[in-house]
Amino acid sequence: MSTVKSMQEVSVEQLMNNYNLIVPEIQREYVWGFNDYGILDTFIQDITEGFKLNNKIDEATVSEIETIKKLVDTTSDETTRKSLNNILDCLLSKSSPINIGFLYSYRPGYYVFNDRNDDLYLIDGQQRFTTLFLILYYLSIKEGKQKDFISTFRFNKDIEQIAFDYRVRTLTHNFFIDLLSNAKSVDDLLNIRNKNWFLSNYDNDVTVNAIVGQKTNEKSGVFNKLNSHFENDSNSYYEFVKTQIKFWHFKTEETSQGEELYITMNSRGQQLADNETIRAKLFDTDLVKSNPLEWGEKWEIWQDFFWKNRDKSNNEITADEGFNEFLRWIQIIKMTEIQEVIIDDDNEDSLDKKDIIAIIKWGKGKKLDAKYLSLDEIDYYFRALKYLFESFPNEMEKLKSNYSTYSNFNLIEKQWLCPVDNNNSIIQIDSFRLLPILYYCKNRIELDGTIDSVKLFRVIRFFYNLRSDATIMKASSLLTINAIKFIGNLSSNSDITDILDLKGISVSILNKEERKKLQIIKKSENRFRTEDLFWRAEDNEQNEGSIIHLIEFSNPHIISNQFNLDDFEEKLIIFEEFIQKKHYIWGNLIATDVYTESFDRISYIGNWHKQEGFLQLISTKQGLNTIGLKEFLIHVQKKFIQTYKTADDIINEKSFKKQIYIYYILQFNSIIINAPKWNWDFGWNFGAFASTSGYKTFFTDGVIFQYFRTNFREKDDKMLWIHKNIKNQNLIIENLLNWSKE
């Protein structure tokens, strides 16, 4: 047989036209009916969404075709009627096929050439195909196409044969025969346990329980789930499922080598998914040959996971994108694990890093390399992945109780399981966040099968917080390698603070701030509270992960003394209030080091929240924490004005920053009658220019100010309001001085 015929994209109908598909005894039971992780719901929704998205023809056409179908039904020739109805159903179904992955089969040992249909044993794809079989049976009854179903699957009640069968499992086989012989209505399917043909022994069969539902849950099982989706849906799905849901069918005895499998796909003008090329190579090993069905079952479970977690908004995305990406992660980790890396060398083209970085960056056309992958390691990594994305989120609820104010626990991104951009791979900074964590989990599962969720979250949080660091972002590929390396050096009981004692960690990762925070946390008498406050501060939108300014401002000698957590918390609360209400407090920063003066520009600096002027405002508020914010700001403003002894001292002020601050104080306190609020919408920077006709100033240098955002351009509508409304100048200055003494 030619290699082209060994790999074909086929529908259920096409498979049944050529083969008898048999589930071998050693294969696992059918379990999708239990709907673990919602996989059956997802599968059904995918079918209905695919049908509705691709079946958009106008109502007039539908009406005409339905009229013709009624005429066709009057013919006495069943063969003609069936053929014409199939054609008309295809006209109603203008959808593109939905490919749901690979179906692997092999010939049984008893195989004898047969003129009509070959017997094939399923090694992979059993769960999906069984589900489609049951969906078609339900739909055939609901849509009045049971005869077509019987014909498609060549069911013969008298000799108890069917083209898709669990025939080597007597109990399951007998159930299918009884089901197809007796169920005539949807109600029959929903109440199978109450039928006299349903034997008590069927309760002992896992597959039967998955189909009809467990005794303890009457609404469980495939048919009940199908009815919940289709009962009130007037669309006709039967033909669509039979002809438009497709598999890549691969008969393993036809091409045993991975290279031949790749040629097979390309001979059909199709690109074989990386994971399938890798699979063919990995399955041609002694490990698999000793137990092929066990590994076939595991591979199917892995595929099911990525099918469930694919991008459902894009019909062109399959399980392959996520599965390929998962294998890429493993390859990066393995390459890093076995490679001697020079940490201090930041040259991405150096021989010790070049090949790894090429896979991290994952340019177009890159291919996975099977020499870095093995089935047993993939299995460990998959268990780690499932823990991270399924079990670990459930453990977060218990973890949350340790933290009174910190609330950001969703640090693992679900979209990483099926990235749709960047050549279907996660970006480099996300590799830095995820791959060390995956490696951490895999190592602990491989060692003793357990993961301490609290320790894990601390590791996740460490890498998450570094994501915004400019140095990390610039060299994320190099630092991903370094992160994987040092995670591999952590012992089984290690905590994230133990990296303080490791050698070979890049100073970009364990920088001054991270080292200081870990030292404080390690020494802390109340670690959860310390983490609670530090993580909360890091997540403040203004800090972007860096809080060294708050730590050193609160405790300048923390290494030699116990860190004062109470003082840090008090300052953090005020810091958060000031950031939240920065428009309200901002004017009080104009005269501080938050602003710079340069010729005709008075501009605030980017890291203003780390400047002494801002931090000192926090410290002052901490000492006056019994009064409200407005009263506090007025107190600060009065203290500033009190530095001037006379009116002349004020009007002779030369500092542009201080002049603007005085204008702000006048308006903030309405010392000038009918003064409007300060208009920050015009910009937070100020331009200065010489006296201009029509504008006045309090100060002898005659400078006029206006707002600007990024570029200083003279604009009349952006002049400080006060320059247009100065009357009784001397009286206003006297009032200001008197006000400061109240």
Side-chain angles (χ1 to χ4, degrees):
M1 184 179 290
S2 70
T3 57
V4 172
K5 291 183 179 179
S6 66
M7 175 69 76
Q8 295 177 307
E9 188 180 34
V10 293
S11 64
V12 174
E13 182 178 52
Q14 290 169 317
L15 279 167
M16 292 298 95
N17 283 339
N18 294 289
Y19 306 107
N20 296 312
L21 293 184
I22 301 165
V23 179
E25 186 174 17
I26 197 170
Q27 186 64 279
R28 65 171 170 159
E29 299 280 2
Y30 175 67
V31 295
W32 270 23
F34 297 121
N35 204 31
D36 292 338
Y37 313 112
I39 193 165
L40 181 57
D41 279 318
T42 301
F43 193 71
I44 297 168
Q45 289 166 2
D46 291 337
I47 290 174
T48 57
E49 289 171 8
F51 175 89
K52 291 171 183 176
L53 284 173
N54 293 292
N55 284 264
K56 296 179 179 178
I57 58 177
D58 60 90
E59 294 182 3
T61 302
V62 173
S63 179
E64 289 177 7
I65 293 175
E66 292 296 340
T67 300
I68 297 172
K69 284 172 68 71
K70 290 178 182 178
L71 293 174
V72 169
D73 288 339
T74 63
T75 181
S76 58
D77 185 343
E78 182 177 347
T79 302
T80 301
R81 184 168 63 247
K82 180 179 178 181
S83 298
L84 290 174
N85 272 318
N86 284 342
I87 294 171
L88 292 169
D89 284 330
C90 286
L91 289 175
L92 283 171
S93 178
K94 288 189 176 181
S95 57
S96 301
I98 298 176
N99 192 295
I100 60 173
F102 282 75
L103 190 76
Y104 285 81
S105 66
Y106 67 96
R107 288 175 175 171
Y110 62 78
Y111 174 78
V112 177
F113 180 75
N114 161 331
D115 285 338
R116 181 176 178 185
N117 304 105
D118 294 349
D119 278 4
L120 293 178
Y121 275 7
L122 285 181
I123 191 174
D124 191 358
Q126 165 216 352
Q127 301 292 321
R128 282 167 288 155
F129 197 87
T130 303
T131 302
L132 286 176
F133 172 82
L134 296 169
I135 289 174
L136 282 169
Y137 188 54
Y138 170 89
L139 292 173
S140 73
I141 292 176
K142 181 176 183 289
E143 298 176 19
K145 296 189 176 182
Q146 199 167 3
K147 287 184 179 180
D148 183 83
F149 176 90
I150 296 300
S151 174
T152 298
F153 287 92
R154 288 177 273 110
F155 173 59
N156 189 320
K157 177 181 177 180
D158 295 333
I159 59 175
E160 297 188 349
Q161 283 188 357
I162 187 170
F164 172 64
D165 198 1
Y166 284 68
R167 75 169 68 157
V168 292
R169 300 182 187 182
T170 304
L171 199 58
T172 310
H173 165 79
N174 289 341
F175 170 77
F176 275 102
I177 298 301
D178 282 344
L179 175 68
L180 270 59
S181 299
N182 294 287
K184 306 300 180 186
S185 67
V186 171
D187 184 69
D188 287 344
L189 299 179
L190 302 180
N191 295 283
I192 289 175
R193 287 189 176 278
N194 299 325
K195 303 301 177 182
N196 55 19
W197 59 265
F198 186 83
L199 305 178
S200 59
N201 284 345
Y202 289 154
D203 282 328
N204 301 322
D205 189 286
V206 174
T207 296
V208 173
N209 275 283
I211 295 170
V212 306
Q214 297 169 296
K215 277 186 174 181
T216 55
N217 185 355
E218 295 181 356
K219 296 299 181 182
S220 64
V222 175
F223 292 133
N224 278 296
K225 183 58 66 177
L226 287 171
N227 200 57
S228 69
H229 283 271
F230 291 111
E231 181 180 16
N232 298 315
D233 192 332
S234 60
N235 289 301
S236 297
Y237 293 95
Y238 178 81
E239 288 297 329
F240 174 78
V241 176
K242 186 178 73 169
T243 64
Q244 300 301 311
I245 306 297
K246 297 196 174 184
F247 297 87
W248 282 113
H249 178 212
F250 180 55
K251 292 181 285 184
T252 56
E253 79 282 359
E254 301 291 349
T255 53
S256 60
Q257 301 299 318
E259 291 77 12
E260 292 182 59
L261 175 57
Y262 185 77
I263 292 170
T264 297
M265 288 299 289
N266 281 305
S267 69
R268 293 183 54 79
Q270 298 289 339
Q271 180 64 53
L272 183 62
D274 274 6
N275 67 78
E276 293 298 340
T277 305
I278 294 295
R279 174 193 170 123
K281 294 178 180 179
L282 296 181
F283 272 54
D284 191 30
T285 60
D286 292 338
L287 176 67
V288 176
K289 289 174 182 177
S290 65
N291 201 339
L293 292 180
E294 176 186 351
W295 288 106
E297 177 183 327
K298 285 186 176 183
W299 195 276
E300 183 176 351
I301 291 171
W302 302 341
Q303 283 183 317
D304 290 346
F305 176 84
F306 290 104
W307 172 261
K308 173 194 168 188
N309 289 289
R310 75 196 188 289
D311 179 12
K312 299 177 181 63
S313 65
N314 188 339
N315 285 339
E316 296 182 1
I317 298 297
T318 68
D320 289 330
E321 285 77 12
F323 202 170
N324 292 343
E325 177 67 349
F326 170 58
L327 296 179
R328 184 179 75 94
W329 299 341
I330 299 174
Q331 179 172 332
I332 293 168
I333 296 171
K334 189 64 179 179
M335 292 173 75
T336 303
E337 189 178 39
I338 64 178
Q339 179 66 47
E340 290 290 334
V341 175
I342 302 172
I343 298 302
D344 297 331
D345 178 12
D346 60 359
N347 180 9
E348 292 190 355
D349 293 324
S350 60
L351 293 178
D352 60 326
K353 306 178 186 71
K354 183 177 180 180
D355 291 343
I356 306 173
I357 288 176
I359 305 301
I360 293 175
K361 291 188 174 180
W362 200 237
K364 190 173 183 180
K366 288 289 183 182
K367 290 291 177 184
L368 295 170
D369 192 338
K371 74 180 181 182
Y372 295 109
L373 302 168
S374 65
L375 287 171
D376 49 356
E377 281 210 320
I378 293 173
D379 191 29
Y380 279 123
Y381 277 109
F382 180 74
R383 288 163 60 186
L385 193 74
K386 278 200 47 119
Y387 176 82
L388 269 176
F389 286 91
E390 292 187 350
S391 302
F392 183 60
N394 294 328
E395 296 181 16
M396 285 295 94
E397 293 306 316
K398 291 184 289 184
L399 186 65
K400 291 176 183 178
S401 63
N402 296 311
Y403 302 96
S404 59
T405 63
Y406 174 75
S407 60
N408 185 15
F409 292 93
N410 298 318
L411 308 185
I412 299 295
E413 308 288 342
K414 197 67 177 288
Q415 62 265 28
W416 289 341
L417 294 174
C418 187
V420 295
D421 298 318
N422 194 42
N423 295 315
N424 296 119
S425 62
I426 59 177
I427 60 176
Q428 294 169 52
I429 191 63
D430 289 339
S431 293
F432 174 79
R433 286 178 55 189
L434 173 63
L435 301 193
I437 304 304
L438 184 63
Y439 190 39
Y440 177 93
C441 292
K442 178 260 184 184
N443 287 344
R444 276 139 193 81
I445 288 175
E446 187 175 13
L447 182 67
D448 60 12
T450 62
I451 298 175
D452 185 316
S453 60
V454 175
K455 288 183 178 180
L456 171 60
F457 186 77
R458 287 166 172 159
V459 177
I460 293 172
R461 175 70 208 187
F462 177 78
F463 287 107
Y464 170 82
N465 189 60
L466 284 168
R467 78 198 186 285
S468 300
D469 183 274
T471 303
I472 300 289
M473 293 185 71
K474 184 178 179 180
S476 53
S477 293
L478 281 168
L479 296 174
T480 297
I481 295 172
N482 184 243
I484 293 169
K485 276 293 188 186
F486 80 70
I487 284 294
N489 291 329
L490 287 175
S491 65
S492 59
N493 295 318
S494 290
D495 179 79
I496 188 61
T497 59
D498 293 328
I499 70 172
L500 292 167
D501 303 319
L502 293 181
K503 295 181 179 180
I505 300 181
S506 169
V507 293
S508 296
I509 294 176
L510 195 56
N511 55 35
K512 174 187 174 183
E513 172 166 342
E514 296 304 322
R515 181 176 292 277
K516 186 165 287 190
K517 287 186 293 192
L518 290 176
Q519 288 172 333
I520 295 170
I521 288 171
K522 193 166 189 174
K523 293 180 179 180
S524 175
E525 295 179 355
N526 189 337
R527 178 165 180 173
F528 285 121
R529 183 181 174 221
T530 305
E531 290 171 333
D532 182 72
L533 294 173
F534 279 13
W535 296 347
R536 171 177 141 194
E538 289 169 348
D539 281 355
N540 185 280
E541 61 178 353
Q542 194 64 52
N543 287 329
E544 295 183 329
S546 175
I547 60 171
I548 192 68
H549 53 291
L550 291 176
I551 290 174
E552 293 183 337
F553 176 53
S554 300
N555 298 263
H557 307 294
I558 57 173
I559 301 304
S560 57
N561 300 308
Q562 184 68 33
F563 185 75
N564 189 335
L565 198 58
D566 291 333
D567 182 67
F568 179 84
E569 182 174 20
E570 289 176 6
K571 286 184 169 65
L572 175 60
I573 291 171
I574 299 170
F575 175 88
E576 291 169 335
E577 181 184 22
F578 282 7
I579 296 299
Q580 183 182 8
K581 300 177 179 178
K582 61 184 177 182
H583 286 75
Y584 191 65
I585 63 105
W586 189 264
N588 300 278
L589 303 175
I590 296 173
T592 72
D593 61 349
V594 166
Y595 274 82
T596 61
E597 282 185 39
S598 178
F599 300 106
D600 59 350
R601 289 169 174 78
I602 303 90
S603 307
Y604 77 91
I605 60 179
N607 60 347
W608 56 269
H609 64 292
K610 298 182 179 181
Q611 297 307 301
E612 183 179 352
F614 178 69
L615 297 175
Q616 188 56 51
L617 196 66
I618 292 172
S619 183
T620 304
K621 179 67 168 71
Q622 186 180 14
L624 298 169
N625 224 7
T626 56
I627 64 175
L629 181 57
K630 182 176 181 179
E631 290 75 17
F632 164 70
L633 295 178
I634 292 173
H635 169 82
V636 170
Q637 294 165 8
K638 286 182 175 181
K639 288 291 184 183
F640 174 80
I641 297 299
Q642 287 170 15
T643 61
Y644 300 97
K645 303 302 181 184
T646 67
D648 285 343
D649 290 338
I650 292 178
I651 64 175
N652 289 318
E653 176 60 66
K654 300 300 182 184
S655 167
F656 290 169
K657 295 195 298 184
K658 291 183 179 181
Q659 287 184 25
I660 296 170
Y661 186 38
I662 290 169
Y663 286 143
Y664 178 81
I665 293 171
L666 288 169
Q667 287 190 276
F668 185 87
N669 296 281
S670 301
I671 294 173
I672 298 176
I673 298 173
N674 298 322
K677 290 183 178 179
W678 200 261
N679 195 348
W680 293 115
D681 291 339
F682 285 158
W684 293 25
N685 299 309
F686 304 92
F689 47 90
S691 298
T692 303
S693 176
Y695 297 98
K696 296 180 180 179
T697 173
F698 285 122
F699 304 100
T700 55
D701 60 10
V703 174
I704 305 298
F705 301 102
Q706 74 168 47
Y707 305 93
F708 75 90
R709 295 182 185 276
T710 55
N711 297 313
F712 175 33
R713 298 288 186 272
E714 184 176 343
K715 290 188 176 182
D716 182 75
D717 62 340
K718 289 193 175 183
M719 294 293 181
L720 295 190
W721 171 87
I722 199 166
H723 291 308
K724 303 176 184 179
N725 295 274
I726 295 179
K727 297 177 182 178
N728 301 318
Q729 175 180 342
N730 293 334
L731 178 60
I732 291 173
I733 295 297
E734 288 298 328
N735 288 341
L736 179 63
L737 287 169
N738 292 332
W739 166 83
S740 70
K741 297 170 184 177
E742 293 176 354

